Amino acid sequence: MFEGRDPIYHQIAEAIRGEVLSGALEEEDQVMSTTQYATTYRINPATAAKAFAQLVDEGVLYKRRGVGMFVAPGAAERLRAERRQAFFAEWLDPVIREARLLGLSITDLTDYLTTHADSTPAATTDTEEGR
Amino acid sequence: MTGYAVHTEALGLSYGRTPALTAITLDLAPGRIHGLLGRNGAGKTTLMSVLASLRRASEGTVRVDGQDPFENEPVMENVCLIRESGDLLTDEKLTTNLNFLEGARPRFDRAYAESLMEDFRLNPRKKPQALSRGQSSAFGAIVGLASRAPLTMFDEVHLGMDAPSRQRFYDELLREFAEHPRTIVLSSHLISEIEHMLETVTILHEGRLLLSGEADDLHSRGATLTGPTAVVDRHVAGLQVVGTRDLGPTRQATVFGELDESALAAATSEGLQVGAVPLQDLFIHLTDTQTEEVS
């Protein structure tokens, strides 16, 4: 955990987004408190709080005063819509570039996609403890 | 209570003719966990002793919660420095020590101290001199936690503890800090263990302030690039490379300095793995270079 160069709160926020997208965290599920986050991952509570604040701004989480943080209604759908917009530029453009370098044609790529789409398992996240 | 702010300006202290601290200008914001790092003899303990008013600065200003801490009782009773030596009544039982602390520390939570002593399996009837090194470190840590002082400083307190006890101490510190926020200063050589708990990092070197800043900013001061040797070499050309490791055709280069984020993005798009430089590596690099420059 936390091997990347991004600030840790970015990495925590991204892990929670991943869990919301994968369904490990569902709408209205409570997420761990900042204290639980801090002791589980041995990070500063302020770092966890920063990640939560960012997710509240994005509408992924909302706060129930005195109770804790919960996954906002429609959070997964909103995240999915945002990621769909970025998907082609972020994921497929590099694939096309690399394929060109390797002398693979677009037909090779589409053939691969059609034959392999059904046999590839759905993505899972590393952290299942966010509940 | 959110803790005491610490401010020093041009702070200097000499032991006789030997300068221990020179021109330290430092701000530690209240209610955060600060890391104080430095090699042996860098001046960490001296600095913390000044903040705890155990020593008086020879030069400059020191402000704790806006006041000069030296012989200032209202400040002193709310500033807790835990040193490895313990600062205890050595021939009184631990429980007598707790009585004493209860009187000396306005926010001391005795029930909490006793429950921690159970967790760390410390017998309250024992005297400090009868404790093992690990046990007296644990007792020191407990005193620091239960005193709930608005400025609490742990000076290498966990060095005597074994790994499981240290982890318990870190967990307890984080939980305590979340529930009772205050200003905490952690000084340790075990940098990798405390790295992610720190919000700011201050490095002393040979009595001077080498750097003080947000832990997140330090992260962006360096990077590791891993991938095929030729590709790595191309991307680190012109950068300050402080170390390389080779494993067959794969090379990992560690670079420091102001890094161009777009250059790093280019490295990623060419298949290189860009990782964070551990604080420990950054620390070793910074304090090593400084020695070379001085000598």
Side-chain angles (χ1 to χ4, degrees):
Chain A
M1 194 87 183
F2 311 129
E3 300 294 316
R5 254 185 104 249
D6 280 347
I8 291 170
Y9 75 93
H10 279 183
Q11 299 183 48
I12 294 171
E14 189 52 29
I16 295 175
R17 283 187 210 106
E19 287 175 76
V20 170
L21 275 169
S22 75
L25 279 172
E26 292 176 19
E27 283 178 18
E28 303 294 349
D29 274 355
Q30 184 167 11
V31 298
M32 290 200 294
S33 68
T34 49
T35 311
Q36 285 170 320
Y37 249 98
T39 51
T40 307
Y41 296 111
R42 295 218 170 82
I43 55 165
N44 194 292
T47 307
K50 230 164 151 182
F52 287 173
Q54 190 177 11
L55 292 171
V56 168
D57 279 351
E58 291 172 13
V60 175
L61 300 182
Y62 73 97
K63 186 175 187 169
R64 278 191 218 155
R65 213 162 278 283
V67 188
M69 289 287 181
F70 293 82
V71 178
E77 207 34 61
R78 258 198 309 285
L79 282 172
R80 214 162 275 134
E82 277 168 26
R83 299 222 172 172
R84 277 189 191 127
Q85 284 194 334
F87 176 77
F88 291 100
E90 241 173 66
W91 295 85
L92 284 190
D93 289 355
V95 170
I96 295 169
R97 270 200 301 275
E98 181 73 11
R100 283 208 183 107
L101 283 177
L102 302 176
L104 293 166
S105 72
I106 296 304
T107 323
D108 293 330
L109 292 182
T110 48
D111 284 352
Y112 183 89
L113 288 176
T114 14
T115 50
H116 284 73
D118 294 335
S119 56
T120 306
T124 52
T125 49
D126 316 302
T127 51
E128 295 291 323
E129 301 113 66
R131 225 170 247 266
Chain B
M1 177 188 72
T2 52
Y4 283 174
V6 170
H7 172 74
T8 74
E9 212 160 302
L11 162 66
L13 190 148
S14 303
Y15 295 124
R17 284 189 176 177
T18 319
L21 293 174
T22 311
I24 307 280
T25 297
L26 177 68
D27 272 295
L28 300 178
R32 307 184 82 187
I33 301 183
H34 304 277
L36 181 60
L37 310 178
R39 294 171 66 177
N40 293 330
K44 302 175 300 251
T45 301
T46 306
L47 177 58
M48 287 187 281
S49 304
V50 172
L51 300 180
S53 71
L54 301 176
R55 290 189 181 281
R56 186 170 210 170
S58 336
E59 290 158 42
T61 352
V62 185
R63 291 287 177 269
V64 173
D65 196 34
Q67 303 176 56
D68 184 349
F70 194 74
E71 289 183 351
N72 180 337
E73 199 178 323
V75 174
M76 284 168 73
E77 64 184 14
N78 284 309
V79 176
C80 181
L81 169 61
I82 302 295
R83 301 187 284 189
E84 222 208 329
S85 56
D87 300 311
L88 301 168
L89 311 171
T90 46
D91 40 2
E92 301 285 354
K93 291 176 190 142
L94 295 186
T95 170
T96 315
N97 271 281
L98 293 186
N99 295 343
F100 167 73
L101 286 159
E102 228 177 345
R105 297 283 177 198
R107 293 179 170 85
F108 191 78
D109 184 336
R110 178 161 195 146
Y112 177 49
E114 283 171 349
S115 85
L116 286 175
M117 283 171 68
E118 258 175 56
D119 288 349
F120 281 91
R121 290 169 210 278
L122 292 178
N123 180 349
R125 287 184 212 288
K126 279 205 171 175
K127 293 178 179 177
Q129 56 201 11
L131 300 179
S132 71
R133 187 176 178 211
Q135 286 173 323
S136 44
S137 290
F139 190 68
I142 290 168
V143 170
L145 290 168
S147 291
R148 299 226 166 104
L151 173 59
T152 304
M153 298 178 281
F154 293 100
D155 184 8
E156 301 284 2
V157 68
H158 45 292
L159 268 192
M161 296 184 212
D162 58 12
S165 304
R166 288 204 301 275
Q167 300 303 349
R168 183 170 293 178
F169 167 60
Y170 301 144
D171 287 351
E172 202 50 50
L173 176 68
L174 287 170
R175 180 161 46 236
E176 212 358 67
F177 174 72
E179 282 166 16
H180 301 275
R182 55 192 121 153
T183 311
I184 289 178
V185 177
L186 273 182
S187 164
S188 175
H189 287 298
L190 302 169
I191 298 175
S192 58
E193 289 189 4
I194 61 166
E195 168 170 11
H196 294 320
M197 295 166 47
L198 306 177
E199 290 178 80
T200 80
V201 174
T202 298
I203 301 181
L204 294 183
H205 190 63
E206 295 175 347
R208 290 173 185 273
L209 184 71
L210 197 59
L211 69 86
S212 182
E214 297 291 313
D216 277 347
D217 295 343
L218 283 181
H219 261 280
S220 59
R221 282 211 180 194
T224 59
L225 278 73
T226 313
T229 305
V231 186
V232 170
D233 283 351
R234 186 151 41 81
H235 280 279
V236 300
L239 296 176
Q240 189 192 5
V241 180
V242 296
T244 54
R245 283 196 313 185
D246 291 311
L247 189 69
T250 301
R251 169 165 286 186
Q252 181 176 69
T254 304
V255 294
F256 281 120
E258 291 306 313
L259 297 169
D260 179 357
E261 293 302 322
S262 63
L264 290 178
T268 312
S269 75
E270 280 198 53
L272 295 187
Q273 277 185 344
V274 178
V277 176
L279 183 58
Q280 173 126 344
D281 290 0
L282 184 68
F283 171 76
I284 291 170
H285 166 66
L286 288 171
T287 52
D288 254 1
T289 325
Q290 295 296 314
T291 318
E292 280 160 23
E293 280 173 11
V294 170
S295 57

